[in-house]
Amino acid sequence: MINSKGKVRGMVTVTVRDCNGNVKYVKNGFLRNVLRLKEKPMISKHHNTITTQGDGMIADLMISNPTQTKVDATNGYMRVGTGWTGSTPKNNTGVNTPTGSFKKLDSTYPKTQAAFGSSGQNVVLYRTSFAAGDLNANGINEVALMNGNTSAAKCLAYAQITPAVNVTSADSLQIDWQITFNGA
């Protein structure tokens, strides 16, 4: 019997920038001020969940005639929301409480981290950039990686954004998502 420990895992990095393109900082609260701690940059990293739909989409890619739309340069989108609950992220089919519109992947994404045969060949990178004016919301705490921009789109992966971020209409939001495939 062969025992495989292969898995798919991911990491999401969210960065909020001001109107000049500089990373914004979280204003210190009372305790951080008393302790004279530095303000923290609005950059958060969190693991993702490959959803049940995502498992099916990955399996579909392995067959001769795939039937599902790939999360690719034509059909790849992300959507953010404010409704993270943490109760069943594996079953999510999108964000729980959408804010703003679906946003297409940036023009050179998705791509692998490295060329075939090199370390990093098994890491797929996705990026979406919400420009100033695309969002104006407080408490953005969830994001979904989708294969389209309609209600029929399937969710490849879902992640919590923690700590939650506030994005004004003057700010931009960049989401970098990496999914690593290990077949050990």
Side-chain angles (χ1 to χ4, degrees), residues 23-100:
V23 174
K24 287 185 72 172
Y25 283 80
V26 178
K27 299 245 185 272
N28 279 343
F30 175 75
L31 185 59
R32 288 187 68 84
N33 278 333
V34 168
L35 298 173
R36 296 183 183 174
L37 298 173
K38 287 184 173 182
E39 291 180 337
K40 296 192 309 186
M42 284 189 176
I43 300 173
S44 65
K45 292 185 179 191
H46 204 273
H47 296 282
N48 76 199
T49 299
I50 301 299
T51 64
T52 301
Q53 286 183 338
D55 288 339
M57 291 168 63
I58 292 168
D60 185 70
L61 289 172
M62 303 300 167
I63 64 174
S64 299
N65 298 307
T67 60
Q68 297 301 306
T69 303
K70 292 180 2 177
V71 178
D72 59 15
T74 303
N75 302 298
Y77 289 83
M78 289 189 206
R79 188 137 201 215
V80 296
T82 59
W84 167 263
T85 62
S87 56
T88 57
K90 182 76 174 167
N91 296 326
N92 275 38
T93 57
V95 294
N96 295 310
T97 308
T99 188

Side-chain angles (χ1 to χ4, degrees), residues 156-169:
L156 173 63
Y158 176 81
Q160 179 182 14
I161 298 173
T162 184
V165 296
N166 299 331
V167 179
T168 71
S169 59

Side-chain angles (χ1 to χ4, degrees), residues 109-129:
Y109 291 86
K111 60 186 176 185
T112 56
Q113 189 176 54
F116 188 80
S118 302
S119 178
Q121 70 179 357
N122 61 320
V123 179
V124 181
L125 305 173
Y126 302 87
R127 175 179 286 166
T128 293
S129 300

